[in-house]
């Protein structure tokens, strides 16, 4: 048998055939949810409460009538609305009446803030959302404070439930159920900023729904004209509901039949919440205090100085006139002097012209021939023409001056009229002052009773003003308490969200590192399958080849465009080195990508645990000074933002007082005057410097000419070496970090002259050969199994390691590890190179021992340094696991092997000289024993 729907359930359905729509009220607020669950959650609770009175008492609802400020074009008006809180979405829904089934709109409280202004009408408060401000008005100040406190609590409870943060000792699941306990805890967390407000049960809560809606003066004022369809739906539903069910109301208006619980309604205090409000309407009319009269004080002052006032005024009026007359006379005399000076100048010019004419006439009379006299006449004619032109120009100037004079006269007349007008105004003001003075004297002569009455009236008004100020002070104090509690809760929310974000970022970094590790293992498996391809079927070999090609199709832009990339694999690193070098051999390409993924994984895992604390320690180190702490920090690697400062400090510690300030510039000038013999070799090596770095691959790069100048300056600085292949890479690394070419030059000088032994970069490279023998000794002591393996397969490691020592691992290690090695190398010296060289072999010892073919061993040693991705592990092996040796042991070993090498070289020179001598003797004997052709014929 089908169950007939109860009237309470009709609320969920609305009008048949018409889905619930998302509506907004007259001010286009946040649209109320059109979903049945969100719209009718309070109605459903009330209906179920009536249908099943035996059930557990329903949760208390935050609801009631409030006035909402709406805008109709230029007109603003208050509209009565029924507001109720939705627990599921933290929205404050509102309808026209409590019996409506569809809300007109909603206010999102999850990210809202609340405010109440003292200057506004009583009961007016605001709910501010990111998109809008809603202005609401309660019937009293107590009701307003209750709404604000409850909305604040609701917002707090919803935010804690949403973020999964605990509210002290109560679990999230218990938040909506136990209102009294939650209320107590929320007030405890509010730190006593704002005390709990007693629930006004007559205007807030379920009891208010049974009361009639407040009536506004205008009949149509309360109707929402912007939502006619919602109004029609609510009206039809109310009419249909009243006809079908006259005896009991199952809608929100059916609270008349709802059983009241005296204890429940009296103790209604609900959980925290937050809200939003429209633009503020300030309706309070400022009371203006009555006029305060201060005439007695003014009258006494004027009477005391009035007799001297007229005399001073007359004196001040006559003295400016005399000054003005004297100034006019001075101006007239000045103009007359100027005119006399001009007249004297004209007379001088006329006298000079007459003398010139006299001299010309004398020359004319003295001329012997008619030709000379004719020339003098022509000269006179030209002078006459010039004088005529000058006269015309002077006449033109005269006309212009006459016009300007007329304009000045007109201006003078206007100014005279303006002065006359000002004088008349001044006279009128003086008359007004006299009248006012007389009025003050009359006021002071009035009886004392009138003055007492005015004083009493003024005192009464001041008392009223003090009372108003006290009321305002109380209101501001209440507002301050509420806003303090609001700021306190928002600050706690922000801190909890920041901590959760930090945890999520660390978790994401670990997951991303795990993904990189899995991907690198997958690529390594593909590589091993590729090596075993002769034993695979043809279809399997093709599948492995296609998977490898797909894995090599790496695009940095696609990686960077992903939704979450904490540390994406970029095409170039911070210093311009290619992250994945472009090798021609496909197997090397695969190995390069595996190594890039491992470096990314290690960086992600060590960023929060290791890198961040180290950066904080470096940031706190203002001044650098030699110490054990600084040595340990440099071994761990200097952060990029501090590396330039540290390198400059290390170089300056050794070279600051050895050379003059302009030494580098003088070397460059010397190179411009004379071409060094090493210039051509330097030009050949420039394009071959750091071919995997974008700053040196292009000839137009800014660092290429800097590198050229640094190498040329060093060739003049150290003529014994001049230039050696390998110095270009050392100088290039210094330029990448230090940027300034002079700093890079001194860094190169520090490496060659202070860190490396003498003759390390000479023609014979004798010191470099000595270091190779010393390294073999250390290798046999620290790694005996690996040394035996090399001897078994006749592997000479110096073919690989010689370049490591010559250029300090440049082009051998990835850039991230290379710069860490250089940090310690510049600070401690060449022993760092020995330690890292041993650590590299230890790092890959097991892989090398698995290879039993000499050719494969050499191929692996050419590439295996690029497969080291964990710089922290390599550093730990170099300085801890390998039982490091002191510098004294290194010096003794170098001295021993240098003596042996020099003895061997001397023996070779002796054998070479003996061989040359024997060859020369054999050539001489052949020449002596030979017979010439002439002797043969004889």
């Amino acid at each position: 048998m089908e169950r007939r729907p109860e009237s309470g359930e009709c609320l969920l359905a609305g009008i048949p055939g018409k889905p619930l729509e998302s509506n907004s009220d007259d001010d286009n607020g946040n649209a109320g949810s059109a979903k049945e669950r969100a719209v009718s959650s309070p109605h459903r609770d009330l209906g179920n409460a009536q249908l099943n009175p035996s059930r557990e008492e329903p949760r208390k609802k935050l609801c009631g009538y409030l006035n909402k400020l709406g805008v109709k074009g230029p007109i603003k008006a208050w509209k009565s609305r029924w507001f109720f809180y939705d627990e599921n979405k933290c929205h404050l829904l509102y309808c026209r009446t409590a019996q409506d089934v569809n809300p007109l709109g909603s206010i999102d409280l999850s990210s809202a803030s609340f405010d109440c202004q003292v200057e506004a009408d009583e009961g007016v408060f605001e709910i501010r959302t990111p998109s809008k401000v809603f202005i609401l008005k309660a019937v009293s100040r107590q009701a307003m404070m209750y709404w604000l406190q409850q909305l604040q609590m609701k917002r707090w409870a919803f935010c804690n439930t949403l973020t999964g943060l605990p509210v002290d000792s109560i679990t999230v699941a218990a938040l909506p159920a136990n209102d009294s306990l939650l209320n107590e805890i929320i007030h405890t967390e509010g730190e006593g900023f704002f005390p709990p407000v007693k629930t006004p049960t007559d205007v807030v809560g379920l009891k208010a729904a049974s009361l009639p809606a407040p009536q506004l003066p205008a009949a149509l004022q309360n109707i929402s004209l912007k939502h006619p369809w919602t109004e029609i739906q609510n009206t039809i539903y109310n009419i249909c509901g009243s006809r079908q069910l006259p005896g009991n109301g199952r809608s929100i208006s059916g609270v008349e039949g709802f059983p009241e619980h005296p204890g429940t309604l009296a103790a209604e205090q609900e959980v925290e919440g937050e809200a939003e409000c429209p633009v503020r309407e300030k309706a309070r009319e400022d009371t203006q205090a009555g006029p305060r009269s201060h005439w007695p004080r003014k009258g006494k002052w004027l009477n005391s100085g009035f007799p001297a006032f007229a005399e001073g005024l007359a004196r001040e009026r006559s003295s400016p006139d005399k000054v003005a007359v004297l100034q006019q006379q001075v101006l007239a005399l000045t103009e007359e002097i100027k005119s006399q000076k001009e007249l004297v100048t004209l007379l001088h010019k006329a006298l000079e012209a007459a003398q010139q004419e006299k001299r010309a006439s004398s020359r004319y009379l003295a001329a012997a021939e008619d030709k000379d006299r004719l020339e003098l006449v022509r000269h006179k004619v030209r002078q006459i023409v010039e004088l005529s032109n000058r006269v015309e120009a002077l006449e033109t100037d005269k006309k212009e001056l006459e016009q300007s004079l007329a304009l000045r006269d007109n201006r003078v007349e206007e100014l005279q009229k303006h002065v006359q007008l000002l004088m008349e105004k001044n006279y009128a003001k003086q008359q007004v002052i006299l009248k006012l003075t007389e009025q003050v004297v009359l006021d002071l002569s009035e009886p004392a009773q009138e003055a007492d009455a005015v004083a009493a009236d003024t005192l009464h008004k001041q008392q009223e003003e003090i009372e108003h100020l006290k009321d305002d002070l109380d209101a501001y104090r209440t507002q301050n308490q509420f806003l303090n509690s609001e700021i306190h809760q928002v600050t706690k929310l922000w801190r909890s969200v920041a901590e959760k974000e930090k945890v999520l970022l660390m978790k994401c970094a670990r997951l991303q590192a795990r993904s990189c590790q899995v991907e690198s293992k997958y690529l390594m498996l593909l590589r091993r399958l590729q090596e075993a391809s002769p034993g695979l079927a043809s279809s399997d070999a093709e599948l492995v080849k296609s998977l490898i090609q797909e894995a090599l199709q790496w695009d940095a832009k696609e990686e960077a465009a992903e939704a979450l990339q904490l540390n994406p694999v970029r095409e170039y690193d911070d210093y311009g080195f290619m992250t994945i070098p472009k090798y021609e051999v496909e197997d090397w390409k695969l190995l390069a990508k595996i190594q890039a993924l491992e470096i990314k994984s290690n960086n992600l895992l060590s960023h929060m645990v290791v890198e961040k604390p180290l950066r904080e320690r470096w940031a706190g180190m203002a001044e650098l000074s030699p110490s054990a702490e600084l040595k340990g920090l440099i071994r761990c690697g200097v952060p990029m933002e501090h590396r330039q400062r540290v390198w400059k400090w290390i170089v300056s510690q050794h070279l600051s007082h050895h050379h003059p300030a302009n030494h580098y510039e003088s070397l460059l000038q010397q190179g411009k005057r004379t071409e060094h013999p090493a210039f051509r070799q330097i030009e050949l090596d420039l394009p071959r410097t750091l071919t995997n770095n974008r700053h040196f691959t292009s000839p137009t790069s800014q660092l290429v000419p800097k590198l050229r100048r640094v190498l040329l300056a060093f060739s003049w600085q150290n003529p014994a070496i001049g230039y050696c292949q390998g110095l270009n890479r050392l100088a290039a690394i210094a330029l990448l970090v230090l940027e300034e070419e002079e700093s890079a030059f001194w860094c190169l000088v520090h490496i060659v002259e202070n860190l490396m032994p003498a003759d390390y970069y000479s023609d014979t490279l004798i010191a470099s050969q000595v270091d190779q023998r010393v390294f073999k000794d250390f290798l046999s002591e620290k790694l005996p199994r690996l040394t035996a393996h090399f001897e078994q397969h006749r592997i000479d490691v110096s073919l690989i390691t010689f370049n490591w020592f010559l250029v300090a691992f440049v082009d051998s290690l990835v850039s991230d590890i290379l710069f860490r090695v250089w940090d310690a190398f510049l600070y401690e010296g060449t022993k760092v190179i020995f330690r890292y060289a041993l650590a590299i072999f230890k790092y890959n010892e097991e892989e090398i021992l698995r290879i039993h073919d000499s050719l494969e061993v050499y191929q692996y040693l050419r590439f295996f340094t690029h497969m080291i991705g964990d710089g922290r592990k390599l550093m730990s092996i170099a300085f801890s696991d390998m039982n490091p040796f002191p510098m004294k042991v290194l010096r003794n070993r170098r001295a021993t092997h240098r003596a042996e090498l020099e003895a061997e070289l001397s023996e070779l020179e002796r054998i070479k000289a003996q061989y040359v001598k024997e060859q020369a003797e054999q050539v001489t004997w052949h020449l002596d024993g030979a017979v010439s052709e002439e002797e043969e014929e004889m």
Side-chain angles (χ1 to χ4, degrees), residues 529-584:
L529 288 174
Q530 185 185 24
E531 292 175 355
S533 58
L536 297 176
S538 58
S539 60
D540 296 338
E542 289 295 330
L543 178 60
V544 171
K545 185 176 181 180
S546 62
L547 290 175
I548 290 175
Q549 290 178 355
E550 181 181 354
L552 291 175
Q553 291 175 356
W554 172 80
D555 189 2
K557 295 181 180 179
E558 293 181 1
E559 288 281 337
E562 291 182 4
L564 183 60
Q565 282 289 325
L566 296 178
N567 188 13
V569 179
R570 298 173 296 173
E571 187 177 1
Y572 294 96
D573 63 6
D574 295 329
Y575 287 106
F577 287 95
M578 296 181 64
T579 308
I580 300 181
K582 296 179 180 179
Y583 296 111
E584 297 180 357

Side-chain angles (χ1 to χ4, degrees), residues 558-704:
E558 293 181 1
E559 288 281 337
E562 291 182 4
L564 183 60
Q565 282 289 325
L566 296 178
N567 188 13
V569 179
R570 298 173 296 173
E571 187 177 1
Y572 294 96
D573 63 6
D574 295 329
Y575 287 106
F577 287 95
M578 296 181 64
T579 308
I580 300 181
K582 296 179 180 179
Y583 296 111
E584 297 180 357
V585 182
E586 184 175 349
D587 191 29
W588 286 13
K589 291 181 182 179
L590 190 61
L591 289 175
K593 186 168 184 181
I594 293 172
Q595 185 256 357
L597 290 171
E598 290 182 353
I599 290 176
K600 177 183 175 183
S601 175
N602 292 325
N603 290 339
L604 288 171
L605 291 175
S606 63
H607 177 70
M608 297 300 294
V609 181
V610 180
E611 297 293 340
K612 190 174 180 181
L614 284 177
R615 290 179 184 273
E616 292 176 355
R617 292 179 64 184
W618 276 107
M621 189 174 293
E623 295 183 0
L624 299 175
S625 59
S627 62
E629 180 186 6
L630 179 63
K631 183 177 180 180
L633 287 176
I634 290 177
R635 284 184 175 183
C636 293
V638 183
M640 181 181 177
E641 58 269 21
H642 299 283
R643 180 166 284 138
Q644 185 181 100
R645 176 171 67 100
V646 173
W647 284 23
K648 285 184 178 180
W649 175 79
I650 292 173
V651 174
S652 64
Q653 288 292 105
H654 298 84
L655 299 174
S656 57
H657 305 294
H658 291 72
H659 300 282
N662 58 348
H663 182 66
Y664 177 72
E665 294 295 333
S666 62
L667 293 176
L668 291 180
Q669 295 298 328
Q670 185 178 357
K672 291 180 180 179
R673 293 192 298 268
T674 307
E675 181 176 325
H676 196 276
F679 176 77
R680 294 185 180 180
Q681 185 62 39
I682 291 173
E683 290 295 326
L684 290 175
D685 284 350
L686 284 178
R688 295 181 288 188
T689 303
L690 301 185
T691 55
N692 61 338
N693 190 291
R694 61 179 175 181
H695 295 298
F696 293 97
T697 52
S698 175
T700 59
S701 175
Q702 296 180 356
L703 293 185
V704 173

Side-chain angles (χ1 to χ4, degrees), residues 33 398 400 446 478 492 605:
S33 174
K398 179 183 177 182
E400 292 178 355
E446 291 180 356
T478 304
K492 292 175 66 177
L605 291 175

Side-chain angles (χ1 to χ4, degrees), residues 330-346:
V330 170
L331 292 175
L333 292 174
T334 304
E335 293 293 332
E336 186 176 358
I337 290 172
K338 287 183 180 179
S339 61
Q340 293 296 333
K341 287 181 179 179
E342 292 177 357
L343 180 60
V344 170
T345 304
L346 292 174

Side-chain angles (χ1 to χ4, degrees), residues 717-734:
Q717 163 74 15
N718 198 329
I721 297 176
Y723 174 75
C724 175
Q725 288 185 349
L727 296 179
N728 58 328
R729 285 176 279 183
L730 297 177
I733 294 296

Side-chain angles (χ1 to χ4, degrees), residues 577 685 688-691 696 707 711 723-736 748 751 802-804 806-812 818 822:
F577 287 95
D685 284 350
R688 295 181 288 188
T689 303
L690 301 185
T691 55
F696 293 97
L707 179 61
L711 294 176
Y723 174 75
C724 175
Q725 288 185 349
L727 296 179
N728 58 328
R729 285 176 279 183
L730 297 177
I733 294 296
L735 274 173
L736 287 175
L748 181 62
I751 293 172
F802 186 83
N803 191 55
W804 296 359
L806 194 66
V807 296
F809 297 105
V810 179
D811 287 337
S812 297
L818 173 66
W822 269 60

Side-chain angles (χ1 to χ4, degrees), residues 307-322 430:
F309 179 75
E311 296 179 3
L313 185 65
R315 190 182 303 111
E316 290 175 359
R317 189 186 306 168
S318 60
S319 58
D321 295 340
K322 293 180 180 179
Q430 291 176 1

